[in-house]
Every structure is written in C-alpha cells, then in structure tokens.
Amino acid sequence: MNPKRPRRLGEDGAGWWKGPARPAVRMANLVSILQGTGDLAAIVLAYSLARHLWPLLTAIPGIASLRENIPSENYTINALVTACLMGPVFHSMGLYEEQHSLLNIQEYRNILRGWFLTMLLSVLAVTTIERSFQSRGIFLSVWFLLLFQLFFFRFSVYRLGIFLREHGWKDRSVLIYGAGDTGKSLLRILSHSPKAGLEVAGFLDDDSALHGRTVEGAEVLGSGADMGRVLAQTNAGEIFIALPRANRSTLLRIVDLCRRHDVPFRLVPSLFDMVLQQVEVLEIGGIPLIGVH
C-alpha cells in the first residue's frame, strides 16, 4: 500500500477544498496581467503626452529654437519599439514574477534598471531604422514621462491588489504556527503582498496564555493539539511554521502533526530574522554568503 502523500497546493481533490469557490484567476496571475497592461499604458501615455505637450513648450519665448517637426508616425514607431523591448527586459529582471509584490526597494531598483536598459535598446533600434528623435528635449521628455508613468501604474496595481485582498479575493487561507515576533512579521508581509493571494486565517501557538487573543489582527485559535479542529474550522490549506528559534524536537513534533493531518507546511528558517533587518547576499560558485548590516 502506497504511503499517503500530502496534497500539494492547487490540487482540488474531492473533499479537500471545502471553502468558497476559488477565483477563476489567481491573484498572482491577475496582478501580473495588470502590471503588464499598466506598463503598456505607461508607454502609450508617455508618448502621447510628449507629442502634444512638446509643441506647447517650444512656443514659450526663449526655447522656440528647440521646435522640431516630428512626423506623427515617428511617435508611433518609437512607442511600438519601446513596447516590444520593455516586456522581455522587465520579464528578464523578474518584474512579472510572483515574488515581486511588495513594491520594495529592490523592485523599485529593478524598474529603474529595466527602464534604463529599455531606453538604451530603444535608442539603438530606432536609430538603426532612422526613426529617432533629433531633439534631445523630446527624447528626455518622453523617457522621464515614461519613468513617472511606470511607477504610477505599478503603485496603482499594487494598491488595487491590496484592495481586492481586503475585500475577499484570495487564492487560499493559511495558518501561521507561532504568534511571536517572526509570526507577526510574516503576517504583516503577507498582508501587504497582493500577489501571494493568501489570507491568514489565524495563528496556532503552544502558549495557552495567547489563546483567544488577537495578534496583528489575526486570532490565536489554539495549539498544535487543536490543529485538526482549527483546520476544519478555517479551511486553511497550508501551515507556515514561524518558530525559527524552536529546538529540533519541537519542530519535528509540529512537522509530524502537519503530516498526520495531511496538510502542506513550510518552515520559516532562522535566517528570516536577519531578512527582517538588512542582509546582503553574495553567491560564489552556487554557495550563498549572507552578510548582515
């Protein structure tokens, strides 16, 4: 007889998913689609604004000498070239991947790098086909408008994802085992990560003094002994074990509980505490070296 295999996320076996029907589109996919759509809208808007605003600016006395008659099709061709290049460049930098969802410093940096690389490639392409803008003013206005629009649309999609999560759009519910500092930090990160599509249904913690209390907006529903009841009550599909300082025997006991209740689980490593601060990761020959600021 084959040993019982824990169900993986996304497997909708009969009787396993007992909660409300899942949305037809996962949150991560929805946000990625909206991000791509927003990037295209940013390109269209930047070129359109530059096309209509530049003649008005060059009408101002003192800079009229910068006026240049640019054929309308040049704007269109430049915009198409930019759109064709930006998608692959942003994709190569992971800007449409599921983990990019917090709009953190690293994601802002990647957007800036992707914008700069797209600009260089676009200049090379439109110069080759002899459709480049001769005026530096038009060139700068287009690309700075584009950078502003990219950040604006990205932030708008990010806030929309948070709004949808707050109003019930979720892919699955999870439990956090451990209501300490690491568990609370994990809850805050998940609540501000729209692509994750996760709703924290509550905490499990072996400290009976915490039972029934609300921590960071989520209730401590019981201990490991109550896992079966809490899973049935919340329809949670996964457990995040946020006890990085727990000893080996405690972790093995919790992992054994998860396996007995046939629920997928993930362990938050002790390195998570360093991630909550500032870390620098250097990889040499496939070995990650982590430095803490």
Side-chain angles (χ1 to χ4, degrees):
M1 183 175 180
N2 293 330
K4 206 171 187 179
R5 177 180 62 86
R7 293 182 178 89
R8 296 180 181 177
L9 294 175
E11 292 181 348
D12 295 324
W16 178 60
W17 177 258
K18 301 175 184 178
R22 296 183 181 184
V25 179
R26 291 183 61 242
M27 176 66 78
N29 295 336
L30 175 66
V31 173
S32 293
I33 291 170
L34 291 176
Q35 284 176 335
T37 303
D39 292 343
L40 291 176
I43 294 171
V44 173
L45 190 56
Y47 277 94
S48 297
L49 286 174
R51 177 184 173 186
H52 291 92
L53 291 179
W54 185 248
L56 298 177
L57 291 175
T58 53
I60 299 175
I63 61 172
S65 59
L66 297 177
R67 180 184 294 272
E68 180 184 355
N69 293 321
I70 302 293
S72 298
E73 59 267 22
N74 274 29
Y75 286 95
T76 303
I77 292 173
N78 276 259
L80 288 173
V81 169
T82 301
C84 290
L85 291 172
M86 181 174 288
V89 169
F90 274 28
H91 179 74
S92 68
M93 294 188 172
L95 286 169
Y96 300 118
E97 292 180 2
E98 186 165 338
Q99 62 266 29
H100 280 80
S101 56
L102 295 176
L103 272 188
N104 52 27
I105 296 300
Q106 184 60 41
E107 188 164 359
Y108 279 125
R109 287 176 180 168
N110 285 341
I111 292 172
L112 188 60
R113 290 169 182 165
W115 166 83
F116 185 72
L117 180 57
T118 303
M119 178 176 63
L120 293 181
L121 293 175
S122 295
V123 170
L124 179 62
V126 297
T127 300
T128 302
I129 62 177
E130 298 182 349
R131 292 285 185 168
S132 61
F133 298 131
Q134 300 301 316
S135 171
R136 296 175 184 174
I138 297 177
F139 174 81
L140 292 175
S141 62
V142 164
W143 284 94
F144 278 106
L145 280 169
L146 177 55
L147 181 61
F148 173 79
Q149 297 297 335
L150 284 173
F151 281 122
F152 172 78
F153 281 108
R154 283 271 166 167
F155 182 76
S156 298
V157 171
Y158 168 73
R159 291 307 308 173
L160 176 61
I162 296 293
F163 175 82
L164 292 175
R165 277 176 51 90
E166 291 175 346
H167 287 76
W169 186 310
K170 61 182 183 294
D171 295 329
R172 61 187 186 273
S173 295
V174 299
L175 294 169
I176 298 178
Y177 201 123
D181 291 338
T182 302
K184 289 187 286 187
S185 298
L186 179 59
L187 172 59
R188 285 194 295 269
I189 289 175
L190 290 176
S191 65
H192 290 85
S193 181
K195 273 193 178 182
L198 299 175
E199 179 190 50
V200 176
F203 286 98
L204 290 173
D205 199 285
D206 293 330
D207 184 354
S208 59
L210 294 175
H211 295 175
R213 292 179 55 182
T214 299
V215 177
E216 296 288 336
E219 185 180 353
V220 181
L221 300 170
S223 65
D226 304 307
M227 185 179 290
R229 172 184 61 81
V230 174
L231 286 171
Q233 173 186 333
T234 61
N235 293 318
E238 188 172 12
I239 292 179
F240 293 159
I241 304 172
L243 297 170
R245 297 185 183 89
N247 57 44
R248 180 181 176 84
S249 61
T250 299
L251 288 177
L252 288 176
R253 176 179 59 81
I254 296 172
V255 168
D256 184 61
L257 280 172
C258 292
R259 287 174 172 164
R260 271 194 277 160
H261 289 93
D262 198 19
V263 58
F265 60 89
R266 296 178 190 270
L267 289 166
V268 180
S270 58
L271 292 177
F272 182 78
D273 286 338
M274 291 191 291
V275 174
L276 294 180
Q277 304 168 31
Q278 282 187 315
V279 298
E280 183 178 58
V281 181
L282 174 65
E283 184 175 319
I284 300 178
I287 300 175
L289 305 176
I290 301 176
V292 182
H293 295 284

